[in-house]
Amino acid sequence: MKKFSVVIAGGGSTFTPGIVMMMLDNMERFPIGELVLYDNDEERQAQLGQALKILLKEQAPALKFSYTTDPKEAFTDKDFCMAHIRVGKYEMREKDEKIPLRHGVIGQETCGPGGIAYGMRSITGMLEIIDYMEEYSPDCWMLNYSNPASIVAEACRVLRPESKVLNICDMPVGTLRRMSQIINKQPEELEVRYFGLNHFGWWTSVKDKEGHEYIDQIKDYVSENGYLTKVEVDTQHMDQSWQDTHKKAKDLLAVNPSYLPNTYLKYYLYPDYEVANSNEKFTRANEVMDGREKEVFTAARNIIEKGTAVDSGFHIDSHASFIVDLARAIAFNTHERMLMIVENNGAIANFPDDAMVEVPCIVGNNGPEPLTQGKIPAFEHAMMFQQLTVEKLVVEAYIEGSYQKLWQALTLSKTIPSAKVAKDILDDLITANSEYWPELT
């Protein structure tokens, strides 16, 4: 079996060690001969790179491993690029969350004004690594799970329409895992039907391979508990903010009991609740910086100091195995069924063809083929079309350097109460993002 050459773009990410260890755990399914980390922050990546070099020497000595800030070195002769970049790092995420909260609006990484700000930064970074990939490895596939996925996917559709970029999100994977715990199944035993935009959709069916439907059983549980399961609380050491998010799903289901909701809908259906229960001085960004960020880099320093990764503190990110499933689908034409972010083209019959929607797809060596979901009801259609227009306006504002269109995008967002508040937030975000956004006139 061929051994593949892989570059991870965003090598300095706190998720990198867990994903590398997950790939090691799946080497029989997806053999890797070379692995390169790429990042534009040399110092940050070097800490993880040195630690992973020690770990890989012990656990996979035959694997060729390196880390670099040189695009040519990173992207030459690669089969796959796995992209999880964060332009501006957690310092800018903190601003994305705290600036809106100062105006009484939700502060969230991918939703509302924070997601729009992050999207405006991410487009530049994504285009840059796509261009590197195409220059140095024209046959390479990019598996992109960088946030905010909807805005990034729309930008790729408009600005790099022929690029071999696959957009996927781990949120549906995590929610399916919790659903499987509720009904005492394994995730791989289940097939779902789903429609929406990224972080903005609904499950319409959850069946096993024999065709037994579990959606009503799951709804009964979610109506009382949300998606929170005892297994996850006890074994995953879940942060309190995530526990609260999964519990809130019961209120989302109450609004629309026909389908099972994506948890991110809470930011659009209950924004007042989210603001009232937010701490402007300590947001999710601070929770991550005080938690996972410190844990991962402390573990890296310990490995480097000890010279061994035995009992290292790096943990396998087992739920990220969906990345290997996607790579295998492309490499071996496995026709894996996965939720992907793709151009609609009739998958949702009564929704614009050029919308980047999240639906089940069959993935083979030509990429994803979306499965049709039929027509969707008026409530979901109206919510989705409003959010889709926000995302399209953001990409148009980026391309045209248009202050007007970005103001319109913020004004149209269901998370912001008025055009005045939208303008006030926009002006603050422009100041905060002066190093990252294109100039807006």
Side-chain angles (χ1 to χ4, degrees), residues 277-293:
N277 287 274
S278 296
N279 180 352
E280 186 187 322
K281 293 182 168 50
F282 191 87
T283 63
R284 174 65 184 160
N286 300 115
E287 191 176 50
V288 173
M289 287 187 282
D290 284 0
R292 188 178 66 238
E293 179 96 352

Side-chain angles (χ1 to χ4, degrees), residues 128-313:
E128 184 177 79
I129 60 173
I130 290 170
D131 290 347
Y132 289 149
M133 179 184 80
E134 293 188 333
E135 179 179 358
Y136 298 116
S137 291
D139 295 326
C140 184
W141 284 88
M142 179 178 289
L143 315 184
N144 175 51
Y145 39 101
S146 305
N147 278 322
S150 274
I151 292 173
V152 167
E154 171 64 8
C156 291
R157 183 191 72 82
V158 174
L159 295 168
R160 298 293 185 275
E162 303 302 320
S163 297
K164 297 168 77 171
V165 178
L166 303 176
N167 294 290
I168 193 167
C169 177
D170 67 343
M171 185 63 191
V173 177
T175 303
L176 182 62
R177 184 177 68 247
R178 282 177 279 279
M179 290 179 185
S180 71
Q181 293 162 3
I182 291 167
I183 57 176
N184 295 313
K185 296 283 184 181
Q186 294 299 315
E188 57 270 20
E189 298 178 73
L190 302 174
E191 284 189 352
V192 304
R193 292 181 68 82
Y194 178 99
F195 68 86
L197 311 173
N198 181 242
H199 288 183
F200 202 103
W202 296 265
W203 283 266
T204 62
S205 173
V206 183
K207 291 183 179 181
D208 62 22
K209 303 296 185 184
E210 288 71 45
H212 182 79
E213 180 64 77
Y214 290 95
I215 197 162
D216 288 337
Q217 183 180 342
I218 298 169
K219 281 184 194 175
D220 288 343
Y221 181 94
V222 173
S223 67
E224 297 290 330
N225 308 283
Y227 291 120
L228 192 65
T229 64
K230 190 174 187 300
V231 173
E232 296 255 316
V233 173
D234 291 347
T235 64
Q236 301 294 320
H237 310 294
M238 188 184 292
D239 290 341
Q240 187 61 47
S241 64
W242 274 114
Q243 293 188 40
D244 295 341
T245 290
H246 297 311
K247 287 179 188 174
K248 191 65 178 171
K250 68 179 181 179
D251 295 328
L252 302 177
L253 183 62
V255 175
N256 183 12
S258 299
Y259 307 130
L260 287 165
N262 190 303
T263 55
Y264 281 84
L265 288 168
K266 71 174 187 166
Y267 297 109
Y268 303 95
L269 295 175
Y270 291 96
D272 51 347
Y273 170 88
E274 292 303 319
V275 172
N277 287 274
S278 296
N279 180 352
E280 186 187 322
K281 293 182 168 50
F282 191 87
T283 63
R284 174 65 184 160
N286 300 115
E287 191 176 50
V288 173
M289 287 187 282
D290 284 0
R292 188 178 66 238
E293 179 96 352
K294 286 183 178 177
E295 291 166 10
V296 169
F297 281 93
T298 297
R301 286 191 292 272
N302 288 341
I303 291 170
I304 294 166
E305 288 170 6
K306 292 191 302 181
T308 179
V310 176
D311 300 322
S312 67

Side-chain angles (χ1 to χ4, degrees), residues 396-417:
E396 289 173 13
Y398 175 92
I399 294 169
E400 299 169 20
S402 172
Y403 179 99
Q404 193 78 47
K405 286 193 172 180
L406 200 54
W407 182 16
Q408 289 174 351
L410 287 158
T411 300
L412 194 59
S413 174
K414 194 169 166 54
T415 64
I416 298 177

